[in-house]
Amino acid sequence: MTEAYVVGAGQSPFGSFPDESYRSLFETAFDRATVSVDAEFDPRRIDEAFVGTLGVGGRQLGLSGPAVTEHVGLHGIPTTRVENACAASGYAFRSAVAAVRAGLADIALAGGYEVMTDTSSDHTKWWLGVSGETEWERLSGTTFSGVYAQMASAHMSEYGTTAEDLSRVAVKNHANGARNPNAHLGFECSLEDAMAAPTVADPLNLYHCCPTTDGASVVVVASEEAAFELSDAPVRVAGMGASSGHVGLFQRDTFTSIPATRRAAEAAYDEAGVGPSDVDVAEVHDCFAIAELVAYEDLGFCDPGESGTLLREGVTDPDGTLPVNTSGGLKSKGHPIGATGTGQITEIFEQLRGEAHTQVDGPRYGLAHNVGGSGGGATVHLFERTDGGER
């Protein structure tokens, strides 16, 4: 099997941009990704593209993939649009790596894009709701904040998790996002602010929920030969895992875990030949504060019920033993549905090359974890630096 490497990655600013389109945001991310390649790089060398989007608001649902690749000058290449809700570009990246490993492409593009702020809040909620179980959840009036609130309530009941634990996720991620010029909500918040925010869906309040965001991200994947031609320090794709799960929360045996994440993580660790203790930095899917806590447990960073302890002891702070969401996460950086997965990978790429805005100390292995909906799909990717550095 041919090895695959990341040689370039970039994202647009995430936020609300009434003067931008999904094409222009993608162009910004594409330009940043191609410029980040160490050697002079002709984008016409890209053989194939996989791009993720949900299509919030219904804009250009058909053929939006070719619409963005044509816009940036990639004329004639095969372009596949991937839709797996919030995990769309995580799955797009998986497809790009698979194409390179299979020898179908020497260089492949993975990316994503979304415009979410140009429709009414009710309309946006409707579009987000289609990623949940439609008949028994969305049409019954349940929102995603309501679904994750049920998960939070169950976790509190089973493990004694507190509202303060949820709020510490927001405090940490806002502190990281305040140092990220691409973040949508790039400001710090105090624990008091995070605990006193208005309730959205009890026990979740405003500071426990990510924003609706516009943005795009792009990652350039290359074969081993091309990677070391283009870069002195490409980032190796060490392991991949993906899994689907019950789309509806009510269909599951547990409300305190996302089984798709557990299965995806196990596959990624097995392929990479490493375990959770080898991970030096991670980007996890924190669409709601409870999602980050559950991710710690599902990814094997701690035992069930101990995620709050990791936060309280500073383990997942930038100077901790396992920094998580140094980009600010979805909570602070933002969550433009289709762009999130490859946006997370962009942060890991920069961390492993020593180029991140909140740089951790010499990481060797990085992990990116992307979830669709409330767990209907998940990807976990492990990355390894190749310049010989060790933490």
Side-chain angles (χ1 to χ4, degrees), residues 9 56 120 132 140 158 203 237 259 266 269 277 292 302 317 319 362 370:
V56 174
S120 69
S140 299
E158 186 166 346
V237 182
E266 181 179 355
Y269 290 135
S277 63
E292 178 162 330
C302 65
D317 288 347
D319 59 354
N370 193 198

Side-chain angles (χ1 to χ4, degrees), residues 26 30 41-51 65-66 69 72 74-82 92-111 218-222:
F26 187 85
F30 177 81
F41 176 60
D42 184 350
R44 289 175 296 183
R45 292 185 61 181
I46 296 171
D47 300 305
E48 189 159 359
F50 300 87
V51 290
T69 53
V72 298
L74 300 181
H75 300 292
I77 68 168
T79 299
T80 302
R81 173 196 164 180
V82 179
F93 180 79
R94 176 180 173 83
S95 297
V97 172
V100 169
R101 286 179 171 181
L104 296 175
D106 194 36
I107 299 176
L109 177 151
V218 166
V219 176
V220 181
V221 182

Side-chain angles (χ1 to χ4, degrees), residues 1-8 48-51 82 89-111 219-224 235-241 271 342 345 379-383:
M1 180 179 67
T2 301
E3 292 270 21
Y5 295 78
V6 177
V7 297
E48 189 159 359
F50 300 87
V51 290
V82 179
S89 59
Y91 275 89
F93 180 79
R94 176 180 173 83
S95 297
V97 172
V100 169
R101 286 179 171 181
L104 296 175
D106 194 36
I107 299 176
L109 177 151
V219 176
V220 181
V221 182
S223 66
E224 185 168 10
V235 170
R236 186 173 77 94
V237 182
M240 295 202 303
E271 184 179 295
T342 41
I345 293 168
T379 63
V380 174
H381 291 99
L382 283 160
F383 301 89

Side-chain angles (χ1 to χ4, degrees), residues 77-378:
I77 68 168
T79 299
T80 302
R81 173 196 164 180
V82 179
E83 188 285 294
N84 251 1
C86 317
S89 59
Y91 275 89
F93 180 79
R94 176 180 173 83
S95 297
V97 172
V100 169
R101 286 179 171 181
L104 296 175
D106 194 36
I107 299 176
L109 177 151
Y113 45 91
E114 211 75 63
V115 173
M116 303 177 66
T117 65
D118 64 345
T119 61
S120 69
S121 60
D122 285 344
H123 197 187
T124 300
K125 287 176 185 176
W126 190 91
W127 274 101
L128 294 179
V130 301
S131 299
E133 204 288 327
T134 302
E135 185 176 6
W136 296 103
E137 288 184 349
R138 183 175 69 81
L139 294 182
S140 299
T142 302
T143 63
F144 271 121
S145 56
V147 169
Y148 276 93
Q150 292 175 67
M151 295 173 70
S153 294
H155 208 276
M156 289 174 157
S157 176
E158 186 166 346
Y159 297 118
T161 304
T162 67
E164 182 173 315
D165 294 330
L166 297 173
S167 294
R168 286 185 183 279
V169 173
V171 173
K172 172 181 68 71
N173 291 351
H174 272 282
N176 293 339
R179 295 187 286 272
N180 184 351
N182 293 315
H184 187 172
L185 304 179
F187 55 83
E188 296 189 15
C189 71
S190 67
L191 183 60
E192 292 73 22
D193 288 339
M195 293 192 67
T199 299
V200 173
D202 190 46
L204 301 180
N205 68 34
L206 186 63
Y207 271 91
H208 302 153
C209 308
C210 72
T212 54
T213 303
D214 307 331
S217 57
V218 166
V219 176
V220 181
V221 182
S223 66
E224 185 168 10
E225 182 178 356
F228 284 93
E229 172 201 342
L230 293 169
S231 175
D232 294 329
V235 170
R236 186 173 77 94
V237 182
M240 295 202 303
S243 177
S244 57
H246 291 300
V247 175
L249 186 63
F250 72 93
Q251 298 168 300
R252 300 178 201 163
D253 295 331
T254 176
F255 279 22
T256 60
S257 171
I258 293 179
T261 293
R262 289 182 174 267
R263 291 189 291 267
E266 181 179 355
Y269 290 135
D270 282 350
E271 184 179 295
V274 301
S277 63
D278 295 297
V279 175
D280 299 307
V281 61
E283 289 286 303
V284 308
H285 199 92
D286 62 320
C287 49
F288 298 91
I290 186 62
E292 178 162 330
L293 296 176
V294 169
Y296 292 176
E297 299 167 11
D298 288 340
L299 294 167
F301 298 159
C302 65
D303 290 334
E306 294 184 359
S307 51
T309 302
L310 296 191
L311 279 169
R312 290 190 295 272
E313 294 182 351
V315 171
T316 56
D317 288 347
D319 59 354
T321 55
L322 177 54
V324 174
N325 286 340
T326 51
S327 69
L330 285 62
K331 175 64 198 74
S332 175
K333 186 173 74 168
H335 184 27
I337 300 293
T340 287
T342 41
Q344 293 173 316
I345 293 168
T346 296
E347 175 71 13
I348 296 300
F349 173 75
E350 292 175 350
Q351 285 286 354
L352 296 183
R353 285 167 54 91
E355 300 168 353
H357 298 293
T358 300
Q359 181 63 49
V360 306
D361 182 21
R364 179 181 178 187
Y365 285 103
L367 179 149
H369 161 245
N370 193 198
V371 175
S374 60

